[in-house]
Amino acid sequence: MSNALFTVPKAINEPVKAYAPGSPEHTALISEYKKMLNQDPVDVPMYIGSELVRTNKKKTMSPPHDHQKVLGYSNSGDASHVSKAIDEAMKAREQWANLPWEQRAAIFLKAADLLAGPFRSKLNAATMLAQSKNVMQAEIDSACELIDFFRFNVQYMTQIYKDQPESLPGMWNRLEYRPLEGFIFAVTPFNFTSIAANLCAAPAMMGNVVVWKPAESQIYSARVIMELFRAAGVPDGVINMVTVSGAVAGEVIFKSKHLAGLHFTGSTGVFRNLWKEIGNNIEHYRTYPRIVGETGGKDFVMVHKSANAAEVATALSRGAFEFQGQKCSAASRSYIPSNLWNEVKEILVNQVKSFKMGSPEDTTNFINAVIDEKAFDKIAEYIDYAKGQSDAEIIIGGSYDKSKGYFIEPTVIVTTNPKFRTLSEEIFGPVLTIYVYPEDQYEEALKLVDETSEYALTGSIMANDRYAIQIATKALENAAGNFYINDKPTGAVVGQQPFGGARGSGTNDKAGAAMNLLRWVSARTIKETFVPPTDYKYPFLG
Ligand code: NAD
């Protein structure tokens, strides 16, 4: 019987391990990577209720940097699997929703500790293999960010529960934070293992049940997430993973009267279509589904003439090219004043020239492969487009090769056209476009930054002049949900820089923050009167 007001351990950010060659973490991770690479192919099931479901429609999973190597197979499901997952979720709902909150908290705190310990190398290695991340990119994503999501969200959950209304004499007002009446559909992107897990875990922590559809190219590491959830004690049916196409899932999910929420991260176009589907079916639902979506970006680095050239070049080389530019927050356009351009260009070109590209197994590689052939072809098409335009020039990179893996050289385009296509469209690859503006037209350039793309996810201002920083902070108020001063626009940390964007970039519900968790509960106000009146007459009646 729960009869105490518990406090949870204070969340602190998981320290990022350094992975210097020869360090214990380096040895453990690379040996796990090799083991997973060379073991017999795995057959990843769907997780529906207590069942591990396999079909005879298998899809091959391969590392993006070595596409002929078979890591294993996923099992393609159909509409019946999606229906079964909804049924199992709804069956699990009552017991899970009624479990005291501290038991739910304990499960996710345990998941954090398992991931910090015995699961760390396994989830990092799976992420390196499935998504072609180098050790550092895997560590900050699948280990540290996910551990932080678990621990900080437990803390935010208790903050929400503690938030209670005032009570005047003679009454007691209370707020209950009920889970939503139905199930949550989690639809997740390929690029962050932590996001995939968190889109399921955040609503589940608040007492909801989930049907999860991971991105096809992330299924290999999604399997390890499900193993982690099970090891931590998430009961059967609370998080169900189905490996079906988006269209198949949507057909069943959006027609279910039990749909209570969509937790989405991915591209803007897909999110808009899902929102429309929900709108088209709105009269079928028992409750208005909560719609949370974090989507695309065209993230900027705006530079003032007072900035330091080496700092600008480094913000660009890290911000644009880490994880091959496949972060929603990656710097993909930059506006550089004419007085600094020659110096920035020289440092940037030298830094990019020194990048090594190849498999993540060789940890001297800074750059690995892009996710799949479709992404490779799309990025290559943008590079070819730039090659064919008279108002653009490629100053470094521009080559690509998919013979062994999907490798694209980090590419910098310089354009004289402030509305050039690659300054406004999301490419989602290692391509940075630079526009050099006359150094005395700072405010005009800020206007360009604000108006050139439909997105508003991340961006930074680099300047030493404090007035210039203030002018940019105001002028770009709505151009980014995460705004950086003298930093690259990537690398948000849970608990420190709550993450999300507005305009075409999403609903800005800030992953890993109380704001997000609030979307997964429906408050019930309870007013209790201690001594109810016994006569209807108010004093004014005389
Ligand atoms: P995507 O939109 O192609 O896919 C996202 C998910 O949607 C996948 O699971 C996919 O299978 C699913 N999907 C596609 N069509 C569907 C349909 N008709 N019905 C239901 N589900 C469907 O995105 P991606 O390539 O996996 O990820 C890259 C995108 O995600 C980029 O645009 C990036 O900016 C964005 N992203 C944003 C954030 C953020 O926090 N804002 C974070 C990570 C990624």
Side-chain angles (χ1 to χ4, degrees), residues 65-99:
H65 43 274
D66 186 2
H67 50 57
Q68 293 310 300
K69 171 78 192 168
V70 176
L71 291 173
Y73 305 93
S74 64
N75 288 271
S76 296
D78 57 30
S80 71
H81 299 107
V82 183
S83 295
K84 180 94 171 48
I86 296 174
D87 292 346
E88 290 297 328
M90 293 307 293
K91 259 196 248 165
R93 186 184 172 277
E94 191 177 342
Q95 211 182 353
W96 179 244
N98 287 321
L99 190 68

Coordinates of all heavy atoms in Angstrom, one line a residue, residues 65-99:
H65 N 27.0 1.8 -44.4 CA 28.4 2.0 -44.9 C 28.9 0.7 -45.6 O 30.0 0.6 -46.0 CB 29.3 2.4 -43.8 CG 29.1 1.6 -42.5 ND1 28.1 2.1 -41.6 CD2 29.6 0.5 -42.0 CE1 28.1 1.2 -40.5 NE2 29.0 0.3 -40.8
D66 N 28.0 -0.4 -45.6 CA 28.4 -1.6 -46.2 C 27.2 -2.4 -46.6 O 26.7 -3.3 -46.0 CB 29.2 -2.4 -45.2 CG 29.8 -3.7 -45.8 OD1 29.6 -4.0 -47.0 OD2 30.5 -4.5 -45.0
H67 N 26.5 -1.9 -47.7 CA 25.1 -2.3 -48.0 C 25.0 -3.8 -48.5 O 23.9 -4.3 -48.6 CB 24.4 -1.3 -48.9 CG 25.1 -1.0 -50.1 ND1 25.6 -1.9 -51.1 CD2 25.5 0.3 -50.6 CE1 26.2 -1.2 -52.0 NE2 26.2 0.1 -51.8
Q68 N 26.1 -4.4 -48.7 CA 26.0 -5.9 -49.1 C 26.0 -6.8 -47.9 O 25.7 -8.0 -48.0 CB 27.1 -6.3 -50.1 CG 26.9 -5.6 -51.5 CD 25.5 -5.7 -52.0 OE1 25.0 -6.8 -52.3 NE2 24.8 -4.5 -52.2
K69 N 26.4 -6.3 -46.8 CA 26.5 -7.1 -45.6 C 25.1 -7.2 -44.9 O 24.4 -6.2 -44.8 CB 27.5 -6.3 -44.6 CG 27.5 -6.9 -43.2 CD 28.3 -8.1 -43.1 CE 28.1 -8.9 -41.8 NZ 28.7 -10.2 -41.8
V70 N 24.8 -8.4 -44.6 CA 23.4 -8.6 -44.0 C 23.5 -8.7 -42.5 O 24.2 -9.6 -42.0 CB 22.8 -9.9 -44.6 CG1 21.4 -10.2 -43.9 CG2 22.6 -9.8 -46.1
L71 N 22.9 -7.8 -41.8 CA 22.8 -7.8 -40.4 C 21.7 -8.6 -39.9 O 21.8 -9.2 -38.7 CB 22.6 -6.4 -39.8 CG 23.7 -5.4 -40.0 CD1 23.3 -4.0 -39.5 CD2 25.0 -5.8 -39.2
G72 N 20.7 -8.7 -40.7 CA 19.5 -9.5 -40.2 C 18.3 -9.1 -41.1 O 18.4 -8.5 -42.2
Y73 N 17.1 -9.5 -40.5 CA 15.9 -9.3 -41.3 C 14.8 -8.7 -40.3 O 14.8 -9.1 -39.2 CB 15.4 -10.7 -41.8 CG 16.4 -11.4 -42.7 CD1 17.3 -12.3 -42.1 CD2 16.6 -11.1 -44.0 CE1 18.3 -12.9 -42.8 CE2 17.6 -11.6 -44.8 CZ 18.4 -12.6 -44.2 OH 19.4 -13.1 -44.9
S74 N 14.0 -7.9 -40.9 CA 12.8 -7.5 -40.2 C 11.6 -8.2 -40.8 O 11.7 -8.7 -41.9 CB 12.6 -5.9 -40.3 OG 12.4 -5.6 -41.6
N75 N 10.5 -8.2 -40.0 CA 9.3 -9.0 -40.5 C 8.2 -7.9 -40.8 O 7.8 -7.2 -40.0 CB 8.8 -9.9 -39.4 CG 9.8 -11.1 -39.2 OD1 9.6 -12.1 -39.8 ND2 10.8 -10.9 -38.3
S76 N 7.9 -7.9 -42.1 CA 6.8 -6.9 -42.5 C 5.5 -7.4 -42.1 O 5.0 -8.5 -42.5 CB 6.8 -6.7 -44.0 OG 8.1 -6.2 -44.4
G77 N 4.8 -6.5 -41.4 CA 3.4 -6.9 -40.9 C 2.4 -6.3 -41.8 O 2.7 -5.6 -42.8
D78 N 1.1 -6.6 -41.6 CA 0.0 -6.1 -42.3 C -1.0 -5.5 -41.4 O -0.8 -5.4 -40.2 CB -0.6 -7.2 -43.2 CG -1.1 -8.4 -42.5 OD1 -1.5 -8.2 -41.3 OD2 -1.1 -9.5 -43.0
A79 N -2.2 -5.1 -41.9 CA -3.2 -4.5 -41.1 C -3.6 -5.3 -39.9 O -3.9 -4.7 -38.8 CB -4.4 -4.2 -42.0
S80 N -3.6 -6.6 -40.0 CA -4.1 -7.4 -38.9 C -3.1 -7.3 -37.7 O -3.5 -7.3 -36.6 CB -4.2 -8.9 -39.3 OG -2.9 -9.4 -39.5
H81 N -1.8 -7.1 -38.0 CA -0.9 -6.9 -36.9 C -1.1 -5.5 -36.2 O -0.9 -5.4 -35.0 CB 0.6 -7.0 -37.4 CG 0.9 -8.3 -38.0 ND1 1.0 -8.5 -39.4 CD2 1.0 -9.5 -37.5 CE1 1.2 -9.8 -39.6 NE2 1.2 -10.4 -38.5
V82 N -1.4 -4.5 -37.0 CA -1.7 -3.2 -36.4 C -2.9 -3.3 -35.5 O -2.9 -2.8 -34.4 CB -1.8 -2.1 -37.5 CG1 -2.0 -0.8 -36.8 CG2 -0.6 -2.1 -38.4
S83 N -3.9 -4.0 -36.0 CA -5.2 -4.1 -35.2 C -4.9 -4.8 -33.9 O -5.4 -4.5 -32.8 CB -6.2 -4.9 -35.9 OG -6.6 -4.2 -37.1
K84 N -4.1 -5.9 -34.0 CA -3.8 -6.7 -32.8 C -3.0 -5.8 -31.8 O -3.2 -5.9 -30.6 CB -3.0 -7.9 -33.3 CG -2.5 -8.9 -32.2 CD -3.5 -10.0 -32.0 CE -3.1 -11.1 -31.1 NZ -2.6 -10.9 -29.9
A85 N -2.1 -5.0 -32.3 CA -1.3 -4.2 -31.4 C -2.2 -3.2 -30.7 O -2.0 -2.9 -29.5 CB -0.2 -3.4 -32.2
I86 N -3.2 -2.6 -31.4 CA -4.1 -1.7 -30.7 C -4.9 -2.5 -29.6 O -5.1 -2.0 -28.5 CB -5.1 -1.1 -31.7 CG1 -4.4 -0.2 -32.7 CG2 -6.2 -0.3 -31.0 CD1 -5.2 0.4 -33.9
D87 N -5.4 -3.7 -30.0 CA -6.1 -4.5 -29.0 C -5.3 -4.8 -27.8 O -5.8 -4.7 -26.6 CB -6.6 -5.8 -29.6 CG -7.6 -5.6 -30.7 OD1 -8.2 -4.5 -30.8 OD2 -7.8 -6.6 -31.5
E88 N -4.0 -5.2 -28.0 CA -3.2 -5.5 -26.9 C -2.9 -4.3 -26.0 O -2.8 -4.4 -24.8 CB -1.8 -6.1 -27.4 CG -2.0 -7.5 -28.0 CD -2.5 -8.5 -27.0 OE1 -2.2 -8.4 -25.8 OE2 -3.2 -9.5 -27.4
A89 N -2.7 -3.2 -26.7 CA -2.5 -1.9 -25.9 C -3.7 -1.6 -25.1 O -3.6 -1.3 -23.9 CB -2.2 -0.8 -26.9
M90 N -4.9 -1.7 -25.7 CA -6.1 -1.4 -24.9 C -6.3 -2.3 -23.8 O -6.9 -2.0 -22.7 CB -7.3 -1.3 -25.9 CG -7.2 -0.1 -26.9 SD -6.9 1.5 -26.1 CE -8.5 1.7 -25.2
K91 N -5.9 -3.6 -24.0 CA -6.1 -4.6 -22.9 C -5.1 -4.2 -21.7 O -5.5 -4.4 -20.6 CB -5.7 -6.0 -23.4 CG -6.8 -6.9 -23.8 CD -6.4 -8.3 -23.9 CE -6.5 -8.8 -25.3 NZ -5.7 -10.0 -25.6
A92 N -3.9 -3.7 -22.1 CA -3.0 -3.4 -21.0 C -3.3 -2.1 -20.3 O -2.8 -1.9 -19.2 CB -1.6 -3.4 -21.6
R93 N -4.1 -1.3 -20.9 CA -4.3 0.1 -20.5 C -4.7 0.2 -19.0 O -4.1 1.0 -18.2 CB -5.3 0.8 -21.4 CG -5.4 2.3 -21.1 CD -6.4 3.0 -21.9 NE -6.5 4.3 -21.3 CZ -7.2 4.7 -20.3 NH1 -8.0 3.7 -19.7 NH2 -7.2 5.9 -19.8
E94 N -5.8 -0.5 -18.6 CA -6.3 -0.2 -17.3 C -5.3 -0.5 -16.2 O -5.1 0.3 -15.3 CB -7.6 -1.1 -17.1 CG -8.3 -0.6 -15.8 CD -9.6 -1.3 -15.6 OE1 -10.1 -1.9 -16.6 OE2 -10.1 -1.3 -14.5
Q95 N -4.7 -1.7 -16.3 CA -3.7 -2.0 -15.2 C -2.5 -1.1 -15.2 O -2.1 -0.7 -14.1 CB -3.3 -3.5 -15.5 CG -2.9 -4.2 -14.2 CD -2.4 -5.6 -14.4 OE1 -2.4 -6.1 -15.6 NE2 -1.9 -6.2 -13.4
W96 N -2.1 -0.7 -16.3 CA -0.9 0.2 -16.4 C -1.3 1.6 -15.9 O -0.6 2.2 -15.1 CB -0.4 0.3 -17.9 CG 0.7 1.2 -18.1 CD1 0.8 2.3 -18.9 CD2 2.1 1.0 -17.6 NE1 2.0 2.9 -18.8 CE2 2.8 2.1 -18.1 CE3 2.7 0.1 -16.7 CZ2 4.2 2.3 -17.8 CZ3 4.1 0.3 -16.4 CH2 4.8 1.4 -16.9
A97 N -2.5 2.1 -16.3 CA -2.9 3.4 -15.9 C -3.1 3.5 -14.4 O -2.9 4.5 -13.8 CB -4.2 3.8 -16.6
N98 N -3.5 2.3 -13.8 CA -3.7 2.3 -12.3 C -2.5 2.0 -11.5 O -2.6 2.0 -10.3 CB -4.9 1.3 -12.0 CG -6.2 1.9 -12.5 OD1 -6.4 3.1 -12.4 ND2 -7.0 1.1 -13.1
L99 N -1.4 1.7 -12.2 CA -0.2 1.4 -11.4 C 0.3 2.7 -10.7 O 0.4 3.7 -11.4 CB 0.9 0.8 -12.3 CG 2.1 0.3 -11.7 CD1 1.8 -1.1 -11.0 CD2 3.2 0.0 -12.8

